[in-house]
Amino acid sequence: MTDPFDIVQEDVVGAFEQTRTLFASWKQLDGRKRTPQEENEYQYMTDELYSSLTSIGNDLGDLQETIDVSRNAPDEYGLTSAEIKARQEFVGAKKRALGEMRKTLTQSSESAKTQANVGGGGGGGRSGGGRSEEEQVAAGYSAEEFGTQQQQYQMMMEEQDQHFDSMLGTVRNLHGIASTMNTELDTHAVLLDEVNGLVDRTQSRLASAKRKVDKFLQDKNNRSLHIVIVLFVVILILIMLVIFT
């Protein structure tokens, strides 16, 4: 049977790689002024990142719980201390990486709020959406480049949706495995109860048979003694008859 930890770990690795790719694209937009279209894309990517970080964090929490349980009884789960340590290092490293990404997202959000508050008092400056086409091109924006980035992002989102569907299937499989294991344990418990009952009945029968054998041997010894005494008396009478006749 496949270790459920390995299944969830594989899903976490896949989700983490996709999230890291999305985070890299987000940082490219975060580090520059954005057009209105890019701003919408940026906000969508931000929401997706927060959602992905939360989902992966929940999976890591589940993995940590399994590590804590196996650490208390490693022999029961067939794990060595080195394997448990490797699993703990994996979970710890991924948690730190998620924490760094979440910190960057939070700092960017707070910085954006501060700039909005500062810029709200004056109308002399223009936002990224108020720049002319020439300024956008000079800043490195072009419809072709943006269309390419958008297509890449859409493909990445589709892959991420497929991965989430795969994770959902994995969770269902784990639930099925757990249900099957629970059923098997219940069946084994019933079988053990039946075996214990058979052992008790067998011991009772053996004890009864032993008592019968002991009684039989005792009765047999008593009969033999009686026969010997009778024979001795008969022989003694015969000797006396021979002597006195």
Side-chain angles (χ1 to χ4, degrees), residues 150-166:
Q150 189 174 25
Q151 289 179 357
Q152 292 177 348
Y153 181 71
Q154 290 297 333
M155 292 177 60
M156 184 173 61
M157 289 298 97
E158 291 176 0
E159 291 178 357
Q160 190 173 25
D161 290 340
Q162 293 177 357
H163 180 71
F164 286 150
D165 292 339
S166 176

Side-chain angles (χ1 to χ4, degrees), residues 41-128:
E41 197 78 13
Y42 174 79
Q43 293 299 330
Y44 178 77
M45 293 171 71
T46 302
D47 294 339
E48 285 294 318
L49 281 171
Y50 275 118
S51 177
S52 298
L53 292 178
T54 300
S55 177
I56 297 174
N58 292 335
D59 289 338
L60 290 175
D62 294 338
L63 292 179
Q64 184 62 57
E65 290 181 1
T66 63
I67 292 173
D68 294 338
V69 172
S70 60
R71 183 182 289 113
N72 295 329
D75 295 337
E76 182 177 351
Y77 296 94
L79 296 174
T80 63
S81 57
E83 290 174 332
I84 294 176
K85 181 179 178 182
R87 293 184 174 188
Q88 184 63 70
E89 290 177 349
F90 169 80
V91 172
K94 289 297 182 283
K95 282 185 176 181
R96 289 191 295 272
L98 292 183
E100 290 296 328
M101 284 190 282
R102 188 179 294 275
K103 180 180 178 182
T104 302
L105 289 173
T106 302
Q107 290 176 344
S108 177
S109 177
E110 293 176 350
S111 177
K113 290 179 181 179
T114 301
Q115 291 178 2
N117 292 334
V118 172
R126 290 186 300 174
S127 63

Side-chain angles (χ1 to χ4, degrees), residues 162-175:
Q162 293 177 357
H163 180 71
F164 286 150
D165 292 339
S166 176
M167 289 182 63
L168 179 60
T170 300
V171 171
R172 290 175 178 171
N173 291 337
L174 290 176
H175 181 268

